[in-house]
Amino acid sequence: ILAKAFNGAGILSWDKNDLEIARRYFEQSLALYRELGDLDAAAGSLTNLGSIASLLGKREESLTLFQEAMTIYERTGNIRRKASVLSN
């Protein structure tokens, strides 16, 4: 539940255009999802982090984060979510 709360707080911060705060919340959610072994949710956090990095002008970082999310979705067979990463 805490991981989802951090993710939700990240989305709210993103909506307010507070990208650095959003990034911190998504990093916290990512760490918890990894600890829980929830690969799809971790990949969602990676995708959010990639989007934030892109908005902050950090192209290389965003590409790395998107690639990691894609790798997870390929492993889990989540084609729909993989397609959502490609749209970023």
Side-chain angles (χ1 to χ4, degrees):
I1 293 174
L2 188 56
K4 286 184 180 183
F6 282 133
N7 190 63
I11 291 169
L12 289 173
S13 297
W14 188 353
D15 286 345
K16 293 179 181 178
N17 206 33
D18 196 344
L19 302 179
E20 284 298 330
I21 296 296
R23 182 183 57 79
R24 286 187 221 136
Y25 281 127
F26 291 137
E27 287 173 344
Q28 290 174 312
S29 71
L30 173 61
L32 289 171
Y33 284 134
R34 283 184 168 157
E35 186 177 317
L36 294 168
D38 189 337
L39 294 178
D40 275 342
S45 292
L46 287 164
T47 301
N48 289 338
L49 284 165
S51 295
I52 295 295
S54 179
L55 291 169
L56 292 171
K58 299 178 180 182
R59 180 173 158 69
E60 292 300 317
E61 181 181 337
S62 69
L63 290 174
T64 299
L65 291 161
F66 288 142
Q67 287 172 342
E68 188 175 351
M70 291 284 290
T71 300
I72 291 171
Y73 289 137
E74 286 174 8
R75 270 192 281 160
T76 63
N78 195 332
I79 295 169
R80 185 177 64 83
R81 294 292 300 266
K82 182 179 171 185
S84 73
V85 175
L86 291 173
S87 69
N88 285 301

